[in-house]
Amino acid sequence: MRLPLLILVLILCTARLAAAQSPAADDVSILLAHSEVEDVLGSVREGVGAELAGLEVAETSELQGAMDRHLSLDALLPLMRSRFEDQGDASDFAAAALLIREGALGRAEAMADSLPPATSLEVYAEQFADNPPPRARIQLAVELAAAQSASVFFVMLTERLRAAAHRIAAEVAPETPSFEPLSEADQAAQAEAFFPGAVVSFLYQYGNLTDDVLAGALQDWKTEAGAWYVQAYSLALGETIALAAENVRAELQDLR
């Protein structure tokens, strides 16, 4: 009788420990909302479709249906949330969420939302060369873009969309060339090329905020919690796109 009782106790303790380590739902939600995850995921269907068009893969009714089902926002959001939750424990999520709830990072974002730029990004970029902000301001934007790995994130997203398109194409058009990922050197070169654009984007987005506000946000991004948030979100997004592409491929395979 003692052995089954001991096993039951161990099971209960393990379950309680797992529950204690699971991130709070509110923490997960605030971090995903802050990253504007719906806008990012909402572009995946179009991005994969564009990559398929580049591979000259026609979107048949079956392919369109599978992509609409598995690459829709409704399908991607729960996948993303699940993958994101697996990137850390409760303390990781709590520390990062605190930066948004009470930190300078959250205050800067709230101020940016309440003080939107007066012109479009395109107009701002066109005028940038003739009317650049002060050097200290540019340096702040450079550091913000670096702390958030903005250009590296863009390269990762592009590569994941390419890989997803090739994964799907292999099922409907086997003659399509195999996916060849960019080398680390090529990815680094692309990230370097995209970086100035990311800096201009940050300057535009935070144009109505003071240097002190931005400096405070920068310090939050440089913390261990801020760095974890950047990496965890990027990893989760990449995994989400890969899983969704596999779901499309599996459905197409079942139809054959």
Side-chain angles (χ1 to χ4, degrees):
M1 293 296 292
R2 290 183 178 180
L3 184 58
L5 179 59
L6 176 60
I7 292 174
L8 178 60
V9 170
L10 289 174
I11 291 174
L12 290 173
C13 290
T14 301
R16 289 173 181 170
L17 180 60
Q21 293 177 337
S22 298
D26 286 349
D27 289 343
V28 176
S29 295
I30 195 172
L31 291 171
L32 289 176
H34 178 266
S35 67
E36 299 181 344
V37 69
E38 292 193 9
D39 290 341
V40 177
L41 294 178
S43 68
V44 169
R45 169 65 174 85
E46 181 180 355
V48 174
E51 293 292 340
L52 285 170
L55 295 172
E56 299 184 350
V57 175
E59 285 199 24
T60 63
S61 58
E62 291 83 4
L63 176 54
Q64 288 180 349
M67 290 176 64
D68 288 345
R69 277 184 288 277
H70 297 293
L71 301 183
S72 69
L73 183 59
D74 287 342
L76 292 172
L77 268 176
L79 264 184
M80 176 66 184
R81 188 179 185 98
S82 174
R83 300 317 305 148
F84 188 47
E85 289 175 346
D86 286 345
Q87 303 302 323
D89 59 25
S91 63
D92 295 319
F93 285 86
L98 191 64
L99 297 178
I100 298 172
R101 289 194 180 98
E102 301 179 15
L105 190 160
R107 289 192 293 274
E109 295 297 338
M111 292 177 65
D113 289 341
S114 65
L115 298 169
T119 63
S120 68
L121 176 57
E122 290 75 15
V123 171
Y124 180 85
E126 290 175 358
Q127 298 174 346
F128 182 82
D130 295 329
N131 188 29
R135 182 172 298 180
R137 182 71 167 194
I138 294 176
Q139 182 59 34
L140 269 175
V142 165
E143 294 186 44
L144 277 167
Q148 296 181 52
S149 300
S151 60
V152 174
F153 174 83
F154 182 80
V155 173
M156 180 281 298
L157 178 58
T158 302
E159 280 291 273
R160 286 294 191 170
L161 292 174
R162 282 206 314 121
H166 277 269
R167 183 66 170 157
I168 294 168
E171 188 61 40
V172 296
E175 70 281 2
T176 303
S178 299
F179 174 65
E180 294 185 7
L182 291 177
S183 66
E184 290 186 7
D186 286 342
Q187 289 188 46
Q190 279 202 2
E192 183 178 355
F194 291 141
F195 191 75
V199 172
V200 171
S201 179
F202 276 95
L203 287 167
Y204 167 78
Q205 181 181 353
Y206 300 121
N208 291 322
L209 275 60
T210 66
D211 287 356
D212 287 344
V213 170
L214 287 185
L218 174 61
Q219 292 309 307
D220 277 357
W221 281 116
K222 287 183 174 181
T223 62
E224 182 178 349
W228 171 85
Y229 178 28
V230 170
Q231 182 178 32
Y233 177 81
S234 182
L235 288 172
L237 180 60
E239 292 173 6
T240 296
I241 295 172
L243 286 170
E246 175 56 24
N247 289 340
V248 173
R249 187 208 64 77
E251 179 175 325
L252 293 170
Q253 184 180 57
D254 289 343
L255 292 174
R256 297 178 68 178

